Amino acid sequence: WDETHFGKMGSYYINRTFFFDVHPPLGKMLIGLAGYLSGYDGTFPFQKPGDRYEQHNYIGMRGFCAFLGSCLVPFAYLTVLELSKSLPAALLTAFILIFDTGCITLSQYILLDPILMFFLMGAVLSMVKCNSCADRPFSVSWWFWLSLTGVNLAGAMGVKFVGLFVVLLVGLNTIYDLWDLLGNLSLSLVMFGKHLVARVLCLIMLPLALYTAMFAVHFAVLNKSGPGDGFFSSAFQSQLIGNNLHNVSIPE
């Protein structure tokens, strides 16, 4: 059922047809992009679950989700290896995840779940890697992992609002980290201020900028009238090609 739902939204992006959905746009945009790059023309109706794709090229969209789902295994391996420094523990984690029925099932269809899990696990891995660079702050690797954490937070939030939970996790880790730095008497207040500014930039400003940019792309691409018109104002509808109000002068 969900593949019918999100596959149709991928088609909307390819056809530039405006729609409304409760989830943020990133996941559906990536599905649409994967379909477009793999040759899918956006013409499959996605009317009911189980309909045969026939000649329609759906492999790119499923393959994209499967690829992101498969990335969870090395992400889990690297995260556990970093936390435990134990190769057997990391291998066991990867082995369990490879044979997890739920993960395999979610990753083989056109769904938001593998995309969401990719960014969730990516955020956790980036956070853990950044923590491991604590002894060399402001190095290239430290900035890289801190910035990548912010990018993954934006990605998780941009797919589903469930991504807020990983934002909370990273937020708590950051508060603990800053509190620890504040208690370090050998660290000057100026240096502590630099640590604080770096985290504000990478973990707040960067994710917010990327999250806003997703919606900018969303509204720029979907410029044709569609099933989501009625959720928005008359002034907005007047900008959609094919809408009854298109190019009508709307008073402020």
Side-chain angles (χ1 to χ4, degrees):
W1 185 88
D2 263 4
E3 184 169 82
T4 304
H5 193 58
F6 298 118
K8 183 185 292 183
M9 291 178 182
S11 297
Y12 284 148
Y13 278 107
I14 293 172
N15 297 316
R16 308 193 70 169
T17 305
F18 190 77
F19 70 95
F20 178 78
D21 185 51
V22 295
H23 301 300
L26 180 61
K28 284 101 61 179
M29 279 198 292
L30 291 176
I31 288 170
L33 180 62
Y36 176 77
L37 294 176
S38 60
Y40 170 60
D41 57 7
T43 56
F44 186 71
F46 286 103
Q47 288 180 338
K48 63 180 187 293
D51 283 348
R52 292 187 177 276
Y53 286 104
E54 302 296 347
Q55 79 280 5
H56 296 278
N57 189 355
Y58 65 95
I59 296 297
M61 292 184 286
R62 278 192 177 176
F64 170 70
C65 292
F67 170 73
L68 294 189
S70 68
C71 288
L72 301 180
V73 177
F75 282 6
Y77 170 84
L78 292 170
T79 302
V80 173
L81 186 64
E82 191 64 53
L83 288 172
S84 67
K85 306 299 181 186
S86 168
L87 183 62
L91 288 172
L92 178 62
T93 304
F95 182 82
I96 290 171
L97 199 55
I98 285 172
F99 294 99
D100 183 82
T101 309
C103 189
I104 293 169
T105 305
L106 284 175
S107 299
Q108 65 178 328
Y109 297 113
I110 305 168
L111 303 175
L112 296 185
D113 301 87
I115 307 173
L116 173 67
M117 291 190 294
F118 173 84
F119 285 115
L120 290 174
M121 291 287 288
V124 173
L125 174 60
S126 303
M127 179 189 75
V128 168
K129 283 286 190 180
C130 186
N131 287 345
S132 70
C133 298
D135 58 336
R136 47 188 192 280
F138 307 108
S139 62
V140 174
S141 58
W142 185 87
W143 276 113
F144 172 77
W145 289 115
L146 189 64
S147 301
L148 192 59
T149 304
V151 171
N152 282 313
L153 290 181
M157 276 292 297
V159 177
K160 279 187 176 182
F161 288 126
V162 175
L164 273 170
F165 286 105
V166 81
V167 174
L168 178 64
L169 173 67
V170 173
L172 290 173
N173 177 77
T174 305
I175 291 169
Y176 175 83
D177 192 26
L178 288 172
W179 182 254
D180 197 42
L181 289 170
L182 189 61
N184 185 355
L185 298 179
S186 64
L187 197 70
S188 68
L189 282 177
V190 173
M191 187 57 68
F192 175 79
K194 289 180 179 179
H195 275 279
L196 180 62
V197 170
R199 284 158 178 79
V200 169
L201 287 174
C202 293
L203 302 179
I204 298 177
M205 302 306 295
L206 178 61
L208 282 176
L210 292 174
Y211 186 75
T212 307
M214 293 169 200
F215 280 92
V217 174
H218 171 78
F219 287 115
V221 172
L222 304 180
N223 63 351
K224 296 180 181 178
S225 180
D229 296 11
F231 289 96
F232 287 80
S233 67
S234 299
F236 179 83
Q237 292 182 47
S238 69
Q239 302 173 43
L240 296 173
I241 299 170
N243 190 282
N244 293 332
L245 299 173
H246 183 53
N247 283 339
V248 173
S249 179
I250 305 291
E252 286 293 332

